[in-house]
Amino acid sequence: MLELFRAFSLRCAQIEEAIRLGDDGRVEALDRDIQPLVEAILACRASSLIEVYMQLQFVSYLIAQDADDGAFVTQYAAVLSYLLDRYFGAHAPDWRVPLPADMKLRPPPAYIPDTDNGQFLNAAILQTLPDRVAVLTKDYRYLYSNPVNCAHLGKNAMQLIGRHIVEFIGEERFASEVKEKLDACFDGVPADYTYARDERHNRCRMVPLHDAAKKVIGALITIQNLRAADA
């Protein structure tokens, strides 16, 4: 599935470049590849929690892109419902069922930035954090980026999926500063360090990301800009 996401991201980047160059013929040719890729992504059956999350996030992205077209929104909402049934079962409890009067809900656990807190795929948390947050797979490619990190890199979330981190930090910095720490993180060892970039001091935390079987599948990275007094 990741290869399909990479292909989709590449086509989107190529279309944007063709639009920038005013090459209408190339835009039209590339645009013909988009719908088959969308259908292929939606037809795939996820084999892991990460892929389930990516597929559901992709449908949300499609809905946002076509928010002004009621027919498309209805179509993708139906697809989203189908995927939820596929992965979580048609007989799952209805979230709209009233809560029994005698049932008490415990408050949710506080979010701890240094760990995945058991809910690293909770977009509602990651999307609203003021720090830059990203998830990298073990081949150093972006799997997730929150809005703050997207803005910093000048890309949207779908443009980042599948892109190698070297494209954004350069080969020299990757080899001398980042790769060794990422490799250690993929081996299960978290990292927490500060670095200076463009006269700013930043704190970078890398936490191993585990699947349900406790296997490391990537790294959750948080980058916080520090004030001069904190650096």
Side-chain angles (χ1 to χ4, degrees), residues 43-116:
C44 270
R45 188 177 187 88
S47 59
S48 67
L49 184 59
I50 284 284
E51 290 189 352
V52 171
Y53 169 73
M54 291 173 67
Q55 204 172 37
L56 295 178
Q57 186 189 51
F58 181 67
V59 178
S60 298
Y61 165 80
L62 295 176
I63 291 174
Q65 289 293 102
D66 295 305
D68 296 332
D69 191 322
F72 274 109
V73 171
T74 300
Q75 175 187 342
Y76 290 133
V79 171
L80 186 59
S81 178
Y82 166 76
L83 291 175
L84 289 171
D85 275 353
R86 172 196 279 180
Y87 298 123
F88 303 108
H91 303 294
D94 191 334
W95 63 270
R96 293 165 295 190
V97 174
L99 198 67
D102 59 348
M103 182 181 292
K104 296 182 179 180
L105 293 179
R106 292 180 299 174
Y111 178 71
I112 305 173
D114 294 283
T115 71
D116 68 20

Side-chain angles (χ1 to χ4, degrees), residues 169-192:
I169 66 173
E171 292 185 8
E172 182 178 349
R173 184 181 167 201
F174 175 72
S176 63
E177 300 179 28
V178 177
K179 185 178 184 299
E180 183 178 358
K181 294 182 177 65
L182 279 173
D183 288 342
C185 190
F186 297 147
D187 286 335
V189 181
D192 189 337

Side-chain angles (χ1 to χ4, degrees), residues 117-130:
N117 204 38
Q119 48 186 344
F120 59 84
L121 296 179
N122 191 331
I125 292 175
L126 300 182
Q127 294 285 93
T128 58
L129 286 178

